[in-house]
C-alpha cells in the first residue's frame, strides 16, 4: 500500500503515457526499406497507438481522481525546499524561514514581497503576519532535524485565548497525517487558502495563524529580529554610484 501511495503522491498528468511515447519514438526511427520491414513497422505502430489511446484514457481517469483527492488534502506531493545554511541566531532563522516560503513564489510576486519586507508594509500582504506564520511553520516542519536552531522568540510566545500554545500547537501538528501537514505548510508558505482540512487539521491551521498574530503584536524578540533582518537585507543592496554630469561651463568651445 505504501508503494501505491507514493506513486499517487508523486503522480503527474500523462505519467502513464511516458513509456508508450518513448516506444513510439523508437518505432518511428525503425527502418522501412523492404516490404517486410514496412509490414512489421505498420503492425507495431497500430499496436503502439492502441496502447497510447488506452494509456491516455487511464491517465485522464487517474488525473481526475488524484486532483480531486489532492483538493481534499490527500496524496499531496512532497514540498520541495531550498538548501539553507544552519541558522545561528534569531535573525538567521528569520531569513531562512522567509527564503523557505518564498521558494514557492513566482519571481514577480517574490520581488514585491521583498520590497514590502524592507518597508514593513504592503498593500497585498500583512508582512509581519506572514513572516510570523512562516517562522512557526518552518520550525514545525524541521524541528526534528539534527542541530535545527530554535529561535528564542518562539519559546517566549504567549498562549492564545483558547489556551493553545506554541508547544501544544506543535504537538498537534506532529499528530496530523502527512497529507494534512503538507496542505497546511503549502497554504502557509504560499499565503493562500488551504485545501479542505478535517476538524483537527483546521484547528491547527487557525491556531498557527493566531500564534503568528501574537508574535507581531508584542513579542519583543520577534520584532527585534524582524528589524535586524530588514536592516541586514538593506545593507546587501548596493547603492547606485553617484552620477557625474559634465561641467559644460568649463568645457573648451569648439572653433
Amino acid at each position: 500500500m505504501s508503494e501505491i501511495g507514493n506513486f499517487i503522491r508523486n503522480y503527474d498528468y500523462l505519467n502513464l503515457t511516458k513509456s508508450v511515447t518513448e516506444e513510439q519514438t523508437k518505432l518511428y526511427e525503425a527502418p522501412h526499406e523492404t516490404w517486410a520491414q514496412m509490414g512489421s513497422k505498420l503492425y507495431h505502430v497500430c499496436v503502439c497507438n492502441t496502447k497510447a489511446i488506452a494509456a491516455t484514457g487511464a491517465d485522464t481517469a487517474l488525473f481526475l481522481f488524484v486532483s480531486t483527492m489532492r483538493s481534499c488534502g490527500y496524496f499531496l506531493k512532497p514540498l520541495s525546499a531550498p538548501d539553507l545554511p544552519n541558522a545561528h541566531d534569531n535573525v538567521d532563522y528569520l531569513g531562512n524561514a522567509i527564503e523557505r516560503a518564498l521558494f514557492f513564489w513566482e519571481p514577480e510576486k517574490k520581488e514585491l514581497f521583498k520590497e514590502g519586507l524592507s518597508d514593513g508594509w504592503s498593500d497585498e500582504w500583512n508582512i509581519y503576519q506572514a513572516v510570523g506564520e512562516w517562522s512557526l511553520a518552518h520550525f514545525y516542519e524541521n524541528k526534528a532535524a539534527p542541530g535545527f536552531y530554535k529561535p528564542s522568540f518562539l519559546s517566549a510566545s504567549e498562549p492564545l485565548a483558547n489556551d493553545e500554545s506554541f508547544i501544544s500547537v506543535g504537538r498537534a501538528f506532529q499528530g496530523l497525517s502527512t497529507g494534512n501537514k503538507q496542505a497546511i505548510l503549502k497554504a502557509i508558505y504560499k499565503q493562500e487558502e488551504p485545501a479542505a482540512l478535517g476538524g483537527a487539521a483546521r484547528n491547527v491551521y487557525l491556531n498557527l495563524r493566531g500564534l503568528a498574530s501574537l508574535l507581531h503584536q508584542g513579542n519583543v524578540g520577534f520584532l527585534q529580529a524582524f528589524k535586524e533582518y530588514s536592516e541586514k537585507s538593506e545593507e546587501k543592496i548596493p547603492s547606485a554610484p553617484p552620477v557625474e554630469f559634465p561641467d559644460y561651463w568649463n568645457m573648451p568651445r569648439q572653433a
Side-chain angles (χ1 to χ4, degrees):
M1 290 296 291
S2 60
E3 293 182 0
I4 296 175
N6 288 332
F7 170 77
I8 297 177
R9 191 170 292 111
N10 292 285
Y11 170 79
D12 287 317
Y13 184 52
L14 297 183
N15 270 7
L16 298 181
T17 63
K18 286 183 178 179
S19 60
V20 181
T21 302
E22 293 174 358
E23 185 179 348
Q24 284 178 321
T25 302
K26 293 179 181 178
L27 188 58
Y28 293 146
E29 296 174 353
H32 53 277
E33 297 175 357
T34 65
W35 287 105
Q37 289 176 341
M38 291 174 61
S40 175
K41 186 172 183 177
L42 179 62
Y43 168 77
H44 286 96
V45 166
C46 292
V47 171
C48 203
N49 287 344
T50 303
K51 289 181 181 178
I53 293 171
T56 302
D59 251 319
T60 302
L62 183 57
F63 174 73
L64 291 174
F65 167 75
V66 172
S67 60
T68 301
M69 296 299 287
R70 285 177 180 169
S71 66
C72 296
Y74 301 102
F75 299 118
L76 294 173
K77 297 184 71 173
L79 295 176
S80 54
D83 187 14
L84 299 170
N86 290 330
H88 297 93
D89 55 35
N90 289 351
V91 179
D92 285 347
Y93 178 86
L94 215 58
N96 282 356
I98 291 169
E99 290 301 318
R100 170 71 180 103
L102 293 181
F103 180 72
F104 294 103
W105 288 39
E106 298 173 356
E108 292 184 3
K109 287 182 63 179
K110 185 185 297 186
E111 288 304 315
L112 283 175
F113 192 93
K114 285 187 174 182
E115 289 178 8
L117 274 173
S118 61
D119 299 333
W121 172 262
S122 171
D123 291 333
E124 294 190 54
W125 305 283
N126 183 331
I127 299 295
Y128 286 90
Q129 175 69 23
V131 174
E133 292 177 16
W134 297 346
S135 298
L136 288 158
H138 186 51
F139 183 81
Y140 291 151
E141 181 184 18
N142 299 286
K143 73 174 188 176
F148 188 72
Y149 179 81
K150 180 180 180 180
S152 58
F153 59 79
L154 290 184
S155 300
S157 58
E158 296 181 10
L160 296 171
N162 59 6
D163 292 330
E164 292 288 353
S165 65
F166 162 67
I167 295 176
S168 66
V169 174
R171 189 181 299 119
F173 177 84
Q174 293 302 319
L176 297 175
S177 66
T178 301
N180 280 326
K181 288 179 185 176
Q182 297 289 300
I184 291 172
L185 291 174
K186 182 180 178 183
I188 293 295
Y189 288 143
K190 298 190 74 173
Q191 289 294 288
E192 62 184 19
E193 282 297 313
L197 297 172
R202 186 73 182 176
N203 287 338
V204 170
Y205 171 74
L206 294 176
N207 288 332
L208 190 156
R209 297 197 68 201
L211 289 173
S213 180
L214 291 179
L215 284 179
H216 68 85
Q217 290 183 21
N219 188 309
V220 177
F222 173 78
L223 296 174
Q224 182 63 30
F226 188 98
K227 179 183 177 182
E228 291 182 23
Y229 172 80
S230 298
E231 293 173 350
K232 190 176 179 180
S233 299
E234 289 178 0
E235 291 176 359
K236 292 181 179 179
I237 302 175
S239 57
V243 179
E244 295 184 2
F245 295 98
D247 188 354
Y248 291 104
W249 296 105
N250 295 322
M251 289 179 66
R253 296 186 180 183
Q254 294 181 351

